Amino acid sequence: MWKIVFLICAGLLLTSCLKSEVGKKPVKVRVPKSSVSAKKIVDGDLNIILPPPKVEIQNRVIPGFTKGLNLGNVLDAPSLGEWSALPKEKGFEYIRKAGFDHIRLPVRFSAHAQQTPPYTIDEEFFKTVDWVLDEAEKNRLRVLLDLHHYEELMEDPMNNMERFKGLWKQISNRYKNRPDTVAFELLNEPCDKLGTDLLNPLMKETLKLVRETNPTRLVFIDCYFWSNTKWLDKMDVSFFDENTVATFHMYQPILFTHQGASWMPSDYHLAKVIFPGPPAKPVKIKSAAISEQWVGDWLQEYNTLDAADNPSGPKTIWEEFDRATAFVKKTGCRVYLGEFGTFGYADQRSRMIFLKMVRKESERRGIGWAFWPDGSLYKENKTVFFDNS
C-alpha cells in the first residue's frame, strides 16, 4: 500500500531522467586525496554555510504553486498500480498538513488511449484522474496535471504528434470547468528525437488548442533534454501568454542523485557518492568500468577539488539555478522547478543536505518547486523528512 508519512516540525515543511551530452571514451582516473573536508561547509542543521551568489532578478511567484509534492510512480506507471498504489483519502490530508500547497500529478495518458483518431482516452482511467483532482480540491491543494512518459512521442515524433494533440483536446475539454486551482503541464521531459526544432512548434500548436477551451488556465511547458536548465534558452517563448510558465527539473549532480539506479547506464552504478564532496576516501574505479569521458573527469574533480568547487557540491546547484534566473531575466517569463530529488542509494545525510539546499535555493529566487518521491521507497518506509529551518 502506498503511504505518505511526514514529520511536522517547527511550522511544517518537507523540503527520471537527465543524461550527459558528452561522447564516449574510456579514461583513466587518478585518485589523489583532497586536503579539505566537506564537513567544513555544512553546519549542525545540515545547511550549506557558504555565502550564495547574488540573485540578479527574482522570479515572479506563482500563487498556490510554491511548495509541491509529485505523486510519482502512480498514474504515470505503465499500468495502474504497477509501480505504486494510489494514496487513500487521508493521504491528501497529510500532504496539506505537511505544509504543501499543491501536488504535481504525472499521468501516462498515452497508455490509456486508442491509437487511432480520435484517440479516445479510457473513461475509467479518466475517472481515476477525476478522483485525485476531487480529493486535492477537498484538501485545498492545487494540482499541476502533467502528461507524463509519452515515450512513443519522443522516439517517433512525426507519427505521434497528432495523437498527442488529440489527447490534449480531450483533457482540456474535460477539465475546462475545473477551478483555476488546476493547471496543465503539456509534456514532461521532452527528449530524444523530439528536438527543439519539433518541440517548439508542437508546444505552440498545443497551447493554442488548449486555449480554445481554457483561455486563462495556467499552462506549464518543459524545456528540452529532460527539462535540463542548459536548454532553457532554446525555448521559443514568443507564443507564451501571461498564464504560461516555463519549467525545468534539477537532478544535478546526477552521479550523486542517480547513483545505483538500475535503469541508468553502467557509469551510474557507483556507490557511496556523497554530497557535498570531496569524500574522505577517494573513489576508486577501474578505467574499464568507465565508458563516458565526462564520468572520469567528474570523478577526478570529485576526488580532488575542495568542497566549494567540488562538482558534487553547492557550486553545481548554484550553476543550475543561475541558468534559470538568467532565463527569467532574458525573457521575463516565470519558471517553475517541477522535479528534484535523490534516489535511495545515497546516504541519508547527503540526501538531506542536498534536498534542503535545493529547496532553500529555489525559494530564495522565488521559484516554486515540487519534490519528486520514488513511490517504491514508500513501500520500504524510506521517506525523507525536512523541518522548516
Side-chain angles (χ1 to χ4, degrees):
M1 181 180 293
W2 194 90
K3 297 181 179 179
I4 300 177
V5 184
F6 297 106
L7 185 63
I8 304 174
C9 177
L12 313 172
L13 199 52
L14 172 81
T15 60
S16 337
C17 297
L18 301 179
K19 295 183 180 178
S20 174
E21 303 162 36
V22 295
K24 298 181 177 180
K25 184 180 178 182
V27 295
K28 187 174 182 178
V29 181
R30 293 180 291 111
V31 291
K33 185 176 181 180
S34 171
S35 61
V36 177
S37 170
K39 293 181 180 179
K40 293 182 179 180
I41 69 168
V42 180
D43 67 17
D45 294 321
L46 304 184
N47 295 300
I48 297 291
I49 58 176
L50 293 178
K54 181 181 178 181
V55 177
E56 294 186 6
I57 187 171
Q58 283 285 314
N59 185 58
R60 287 178 292 147
V61 174
I62 306 169
F65 290 92
T66 61
K67 302 174 178 65
L69 177 71
N70 278 275
L71 291 190
N73 301 316
V74 183
L75 296 183
D76 56 314
S79 60
L80 193 60
E82 183 173 343
W83 290 346
S84 191
L86 278 169
K88 300 296 185 182
E89 291 86 347
K90 198 75 173 177
F92 295 92
E93 181 182 334
Y94 291 153
I95 294 171
R96 183 66 193 185
K97 286 183 176 180
F100 296 100
D101 60 11
H102 74 284
I103 59 173
R104 181 170 177 262
L105 182 63
V107 183
R108 194 184 297 221
F109 284 106
S110 59
H112 303 273
Q114 294 178 348
Q115 295 293 330
T116 56
Y119 312 110
T120 303
I121 298 172
D122 178 71
E123 178 62 20
E124 290 304 310
F125 185 73
F126 248 145
K127 288 180 179 178
T128 302
V129 178
D130 295 345
W131 178 83
V132 175
L133 298 182
D134 291 341
E135 291 302 314
E137 185 175 354
K138 289 177 186 177
N139 288 277
R140 295 175 289 114
L141 290 166
R142 292 178 180 251
V143 179
L144 178 52
L145 181 59
D146 158 49
L147 192 147
H148 211 87
H149 284 321
Y150 195 166
E151 296 171 355
E152 304 94 325
L153 178 63
M154 317 299 182
E155 297 167 0
D156 186 7
M158 301 309 297
N159 286 321
N160 281 277
M161 286 185 180
E162 289 306 313
R163 185 169 183 254
F164 171 76
K165 289 185 284 186
L167 297 180
W168 268 112
K169 184 175 182 180
Q170 297 173 71
I171 297 165
S172 58
N173 186 63
R174 188 179 186 97
Y175 299 125
K176 63 184 178 182
N177 294 321
R178 287 274 176 173
D180 62 6
T181 54
V182 175
F184 296 156
E185 182 176 342
L186 298 185
L187 181 64
N188 176 73
E189 295 188 346
C191 59
D192 294 344
K193 296 178 182 178
L194 188 63
T196 53
D197 58 330
L198 298 175
L199 177 65
N200 284 329
L202 178 61
M203 294 299 98
K204 181 177 181 179
E205 295 169 15
T206 308
L207 179 64
K208 182 179 179 181
L209 182 156
V210 170
R211 287 287 179 245
E212 293 175 0
T213 51
N214 296 261
T216 61
R217 191 175 302 281
L218 277 174
V219 176
F220 292 62
I221 297 180
D222 293 46
C223 58
Y224 179 63
F225 207 76
W226 291 269
S227 306
N228 191 324
T229 59
K230 292 181 179 179
W231 287 81
L232 275 170
D233 63 358
K234 305 296 192 301
M235 294 183 76
D236 178 8
V237 298
S238 64
F239 59 90
F240 280 30
D241 55 34
E242 182 59 26
N243 293 310
T244 308
V245 179
T247 182
F248 65 97
H249 294 173
M250 228 299 293
Y251 287 114
Q252 297 294 350
I254 198 167
L255 287 178
F256 163 70
T257 64
H258 282 58
Q259 62 182 294
S262 60
W263 65 92
M264 298 295 285
S266 59
D267 286 336
Y268 294 81
H269 297 171
L270 305 170
K272 299 182 180 180
V273 176
I274 66 168
F275 184 93
K281 182 179 181 180
V283 171
K284 293 183 179 180
I285 185 168
K286 296 180 180 179
S287 300
I290 303 175
S291 63
E292 298 278 358
Q293 176 71 43
W294 74 271
V295 175
D297 294 343
W298 191 94
L299 288 171
Q300 173 68 27
E301 294 182 348
Y302 170 68
N303 282 330
T304 60
L305 291 185
D306 291 349
D309 294 313
N310 198 279
S312 186
K315 181 181 178 181
T316 296
I317 307 302
W318 287 327
E319 288 174 347
E320 290 287 307
F321 279 107
D322 281 346
R323 283 191 284 269
T325 299
F327 174 82
V328 171
K329 184 177 181 179
K330 176 183 177 180
T331 65
C333 297
R334 291 180 290 182
V335 295
Y336 167 82
L337 174 54
E339 292 183 20
F340 74 100
T342 70
F343 296 92
Y345 301 100
D347 69 277
Q348 190 78 339
R349 182 178 185 273
S350 292
R351 295 178 73 196
M352 295 181 74
I353 296 169
F354 170 83
L355 294 173
K356 197 167 192 176
M357 181 182 179
V358 173
R359 187 261 290 180
K360 284 192 166 187
E361 189 62 22
S362 191
E363 293 173 356
R364 188 172 76 93
R365 298 174 188 248
I367 300 174
W369 51 262
F371 170 70
W372 181 272
D374 181 353
S376 65
L377 295 182
Y378 287 113
K379 297 176 182 178
E380 302 170 15
N381 296 315
K382 293 184 179 179
T383 306
V384 177
F385 303 112
F386 280 86
D387 61 22
N388 197 37
S389 60

